[in-house]
Amino acid sequence: MVQFFYMMWSLSLQNGRLLKSIKSHDAAVVCMNWEEDVLATMPSDDDHILTYEDRTVRFFPPAPRIPRMPGLVSGDTDLMDDSEDAIHDLSGAPCQRFNILCSGDKNGFICFSIFGIFPVGKINIQQLHLCTKFSRKETTYQLLNASINKVSLSKNLCQLVVLSFGELVEFGKSSCCDDLSVGLHCVLLDTSIFQSRKNELHQVAQQASSIEDLIEVVRTSISVMSKQWSDAMNLFHEKFGSLSALIVDHGLDSSPQDEFLSLLFGARTSPALHQFLVSSLGEAGLKRVSRAVDNAGKELRVVLNEHLQPAVEIAGFRIGELRGLSRWRARFQSMGLEEKLIDNVTEKAGMLLIQIERFSRVLAIVLYQFQNFFNWVLKCIKILLSEPTDQVQPTNSELVVLFIKFLLDNDPIKELFEVNHRIDVDMETKQQVEQLVVLGGFTDMKFLERTLACEFNQLEQCLKEAFLMPFTTISAKILCRDLLPVYSISTSPVSQLPPTSISYYKLQDEVNCAFQSCMPLHSLVDYICFKVPDESFGLTNCIGIIRGFTSNSRFINKEAASPAAVLLRIPDEYECVDLSLYKDNQIILLLNEAFSNSESPGKSWMVMIQTGDLCFLSLSNLEHDFYKLHDLKASMVDMHLENGKIRFIPHCVTKPLAVSASRGVACVFSSRRHALVYILDEDEDEVSDME
Amino acid sequence: MPPHPDLCPFLSPRRPLPLPIRHHQQSPRPPPLLPHQGVIAAPEGSNVEDDQIFLDQDSHLGVFLRCCILAFNMLTFEGVCHLLTNLAAYCNSTDSAYELAEGDDFGNETEMLDSLDTDMDLRTAVFGKCTHEFQSEAHPGESSSLTFPAQNLLYGSAEDNYLREEDNIGVLRSKWQVEGYLNMQADYLEKDASSFPLNSFNAVLTQLQKLAPEFHRARYLQYLNALHHDDYVAALDNLHGYFDCSAGMEGLFTRSSSPRSDILVGRYETALLCLGTMHSHFGHSKKALEALTEAVRVSQQNNDDSCLAFTLAAICNLLSEIGISSRIEIIGSPFSLGTSTGLGTPLSTQQQLLVLLKRSLKRADSQKLTSLLAFNHLALAKFDLKHVKRPLLSFGPKASTKLRTCPIEVCKELRLSSHVLTEFGSDGLSLLSDNGVFSTSWTKNLAAVNNLWLADAIKSKCSSVNDFDIFQFLAQPSPVPRSVLQLAGSSYLLRATAWEHYGSAPLVRMNALVYATCFADAASSSELSLAYMKLIQQLACFKGYSEAFGALKLAEEKFPSVSKSRIQLLKLQLLHERSLHRGHLKFAQQVCDEFGVLASCVSGVDMELKTEASLRHARTLLASNQFSQAAAVANSLFCTCYKYNMQVENATVLLLLAEIHKKSGNTVLGLPYALASLSFCKSFNFNLLEASATLTLAELWLSLGPSHARRALSLVHRTLPMILGHGGLELRARANIAVAKCHLSDPMFSIFKDPSIVLDPLSQAAEELQILEYHEMAAEAFYLMAMVYSKIGMLGKREEAAASFKKHVCALENPRDEEDSLAYMF
């Protein structure tokens, strides 16, 4: 069994730069829908005018970016720069409208992410309880082996229409023998939490995704520093390691430590040490090592001062803001922001700050020690070579002793980068930490024994835990409202999914009044358009359109607003490749020549038809068949191409068809791998052709 | 110094002394020491005879041996006998103490031995130059303590107290060590003066001065000692004495990380600088300014740039710390900045300060005085925190100036200032040379190691010891000077302060904890107590008084009380707030009076303390419903704050006035005050205060009638994230009650639809107020709860709430345990 791992790349819409990679799906993503909240500017009651302020921009300079990994070629860095910029654009934009990206995959999972980067929910359509009334009897169904075909979030973010292939069975029952139950089903999900807690979600998502960005900065900083330092130390050990080999060669039984100490105390140099200093290391070699350590130190300082420390500080601030939000139980508890968990994170962030301070101190000391030691060795070399030593900087011999004893064979900086190392803390500090608990310090008194890297991992873990709560809480709040089986297919493993499309239109006049009288804000009605597979209704070359499926639940008593549908038959000479709903009540159909012979190149047509011209029949009046659309077979309408706007394409085209309502263009792919872009609103055949 | 004639017998003992070179012990015939090319001897001629051994007299070993010789010369007859016996015992030893040198397991402990010997040479090194007067002090037996077995005794006396110089005085010390000792004492003095008894330390210093008159630094330490014990006359006298004797030729700033040669030459200007700092320490701002201005002039004359930079920083410090009324022209003619900018417009004190700060920063930067740079960044951050920067130019294109403080600048300055630690040593200028700095801490550490080592040696002789595990790297003396650590630490303290103003409770706590955890070893007691104070204030604010008082007890033990110390202030603050909440108004007034006494009577000094005292006075009056008196006190306080340009306090006082009017029922009168306070807070970015001003505003609107309930509610809602996240228990409870009240007075609101909208905040408020023992408001919360329960027909719950209400009202009316708090106080 091959498992698909699909990485979702979120792209910023304006400039198409890579923002962030999130792995939220395990299977191939089939469809996506990115919906922006349109109601942001509309007036509503007082509470909703209130937007939360992100104070971070007021108090901190722009957040630090991910430090550059040393040794990258320039080509790579360009890419990184861009992504950093983009992340900044995103997190730095406080006025950004609230938007949600939904994506559905082959295994029936639907993911929701705010701003396309912060996951807030994930549901599996297969495990959803689908309650609906068939034959006046309330039954709970379940979709087995379902895969998502299309998702569409309404403009007000309250509802999600999902088209899904699967086997519809009563809940709890295993796969039913009834062939008819397998097919395309239309499910309406209630996502009103996205609307009702819009401001809160916006705020939390903004803080949380910024925190995650900062965490990424911290992670990279630590790994960059670790790498830089270990490179420098490798060089140092490589150079100074030759001393022990020399000692063995000379048949001495001592260690480099002893040799250096005896040199320091002014007694003597053994032949081994002499050879090491004068020939194998030499002044040039020493200067090289010294420069390497010095440069590494500089780099580490820069990363520490400009990336790591600011990132943790800002993250601490943002976590504090989140904690404030989490205490507003009336608003934020319902979306799963748990005060306890955020408190934990706050503690960990504080500890990380202390770890960083300790690290910077160790770093300063170690670097200074190295400098002092190298100066001393340089002086010794000069003396051995009878060169003047007045150019050498003064050294402190006490520090040289410390260096030889503690740093020659050990590397405290490296240890702080290790995850599993335990650091010994002296009694005095331990007592101090214990005292601080009484003063409101961290109750976890062992934190100084952990390393920087370990502390960071714990913080990350806590953050994950804290952000999982909203994720699961919101996921649990997304429930099924309605179910409409569309058609059944006998051949269950659907290799090539028949095309479908969902869109929301402004209401046409005749129905408009019915809606607008009671709910002016939701004056949009949904249209679901799909191609009917030839075998399912016993019809060929047919497409179906359902209108107002979602309105059923809103206006349960109003006949006028109940869902209605129509079936259209396409003339036999054409074959429907793909279809899409477009702009104001139009449908774009992409048709291929049905009987193309191999000699002549294929021909295609793009047809735009007005839905307003079609005659919809209300579904609620129909006898309750499981598949209500069956009843419409009788009233099927023949489509006349002359009625619509037709555009001729001199190639054979393939799926998919993409239309953009806002730009008024359609893009089709010819079988020769050309992408053709059509401007839909103009009459002339303007085609731009792209390879 | 010529090689001592007695060198040879010492250098060729049959059994070598446990010298650091292990080859002596391990190879059958120890390779001799050879003179060759200065310090380091090349190994080529290792076959030379024993009696030809030479040793460079300046090498560590040489110094050690010289000191042995000196000590030997000084030995009394008894001493010699003692030594002889010991030597004999050592040679024929079966004693376990001597085994180490010869046993097969020697290799395992070599490192230990090395370190011991390092210590020996540091500890006992004696220059011939070292004064002979020491001899007279030496007890006959003590010289023998130089021998190896007696080392432990020495450690014992050295490790426990740095003050017991006299205990060790019999041991000869090098000039180097004495210098190290004095430097260290200076550090300790600055860290925690209270642990130094004025007189006994003075006695030590006087003795030292008598023995070694060339140690002028002892005089300086006497000055420091007097300064920290607030003895003005002695301080002045000693300072004069120091500069008279040393003529400033001995640097004061040896331990600062600045290049030595630059500052050592400081002469008259250095003295003036010190005088200026001394005056400002005692609060004589005028005299201090005079001295500092003179110092500026002299250092300009002498082209002493570093001294100039330091002096400018000192002036800035003075200007920012001491309240200067905006009407008084403080800086005299030699220094008129107003004209030097060439604009002709007189600058306000604040602007002068800013100009000075910028100038000092530039100077420090060009001189590469990293510590001073950090100090200046801190000062700038402090300035930016509380001042709106206005363009200095009064003409030219008017850029759109936002009259707001710029927190981003504060953040940047603070980050820059904390670079002092990470950048330490990177410039190569601040390299320490041998100056005995660590000699004292060495002995301390090695004593600990020594004990461990002995214990370990007894336990298992063969176990190989990784000494890195035994004494942690971090516990070793650090090459980073205390002053640098202090500066780096102050950056965190200032961060905590900044976040107190800007309103982020977690960051206040985090930064204070970073300071208390990472910088406790270097911090001065006053700064450390400031960190503790912040932590305890947070406790009182968020966890209630019982925990805060528990922590306070601990802090009091840690910092022995000095009058006017931060801990004492904190105690008064806590007592005052608690008694206000409990309704012990008499006691509150008493505490208030205590406060007032603490402040100095000189105008312009201790401004913070004075404002706090009258603020608390007004609060007490307000609590006892004496509205007009409270308003009068607040008004006069506002005038003072305005005069001294204390904007932050202005906002607080305005808010207090609004509160007074709110409570006295003059709602309409209160509104403008609340709004003024709000606009102050907005332009200074004091978000927490802003939130509480908004809350007061909402309460004012609410009291104007139910028709304003919706407006009030939306005001409260706007501040809720701020208040809940960063406000203390009291503020949170107030906000929750305000939410409930807004709902209840809203005519459109129906309680039956969802009573939890009102009950949840109320019960939360009641819970928090009970922790705080704030009886008055707790009673209010329970009253409202009881009303709601009664309305929705939950009678059992209603009775419960009513009972709690009654309990709190009773507690308010008869304060019980007043004696309790009095006992705590006195």
Side-chain angles (χ1 to χ4, degrees), chain B residues 285-306:
Chain B
S285 42
K286 219 169 209 171
K287 278 191 174 173
L289 261 182
E290 268 168 29
L292 291 175
T293 323
E294 182 70 5
V296 169
R297 199 181 55 78
V298 176
S299 33
Q300 273 169 346
Q301 254 172 19
N302 297 350
N303 287 329
D304 191 343
D305 285 332
S306 355

Side-chain angles (χ1 to χ4, degrees), chain B residues 321-536:
Chain B
E321 270 183 10
I322 286 168
I324 291 159
S325 156
S326 48
R327 274 180 252 155
I328 302 165
E329 185 57 43
I330 33 115
I331 301 173
S333 48
F335 214 50
S336 49
L337 288 160
T339 52
S340 69
T341 47
L343 299 176
T345 46
L347 297 174
S348 72
T349 317
Q350 261 67 37
Q351 279 168 320
Q352 283 183 358
L353 176 58
L354 183 63
V355 172
L356 266 179
L357 274 174
K358 287 259 161 89
R359 224 181 257 184
S360 173
L361 185 73
K362 212 182 276 170
R363 245 169 226 289
D365 197 22
S366 65
Q367 297 278 311
K368 294 228 178 337
L369 305 172
T370 46
S371 297
L372 191 62
L373 204 59
F375 178 85
N376 277 324
H377 282 303
L378 280 177
L380 265 177
K382 241 183 248 176
F383 184 86
D384 285 340
L385 180 62
K386 294 196 178 177
H387 294 96
V388 176
K389 263 190 200 160
R390 269 174 297 183
L392 286 172
L393 293 172
S394 52
F395 58 90
K398 283 258 187 297
S400 62
T401 49
K402 267 194 303 175
L403 286 181
R404 292 194 110 186
T405 57
C406 188
I408 292 181
E409 285 298 311
V410 177
C411 178
K412 279 182 185 162
E413 296 290 349
L414 283 171
R415 280 185 189 164
L416 284 175
S417 74
S418 63
H419 288 186
V420 69
L421 178 60
T422 44
E423 312 264 286
F424 170 72
S426 63
D427 47 4
L429 290 171
S430 43
L431 285 175
L432 298 169
S433 52
D434 274 338
N435 57 0
V437 173
F438 308 119
S439 47
T440 320
S441 44
W442 267 95
T443 52
K444 201 169 136 192
N445 272 324
L446 288 168
V449 171
N450 198 28
N451 293 337
L452 270 177
W453 163 60
L454 282 179
D456 196 73
I458 290 161
K459 251 192 280 169
S460 60
K461 289 187 176 176
C462 308
S463 71
S464 78
V465 183
N466 181 7
D467 48 305
F468 187 72
D469 283 339
I470 292 181
F471 34 179
Q472 300 90 0
F473 171 70
L474 280 175
Q476 293 307 310
S478 136
V480 185
R482 202 179 286 269
S483 61
V484 169
L485 287 178
Q486 273 176 356
L487 277 171
S490 320
S491 151
Y492 279 97
L493 267 187
L494 194 57
R495 268 173 229 211
T497 315
W499 287 115
E500 270 174 6
H501 289 298
Y502 293 150
S504 173
L507 280 190
V508 174
R509 174 166 167 260
M510 264 182 220
N511 282 312
L513 277 176
V514 169
Y515 188 84
T517 315
C518 295
F519 294 99
D521 52 344
S524 69
S525 67
S526 78
E527 290 211 305
L528 190 60
S529 68
L530 182 62
Y532 275 42
M533 181 175 162
K534 287 189 193 305
L535 286 173
I536 295 173

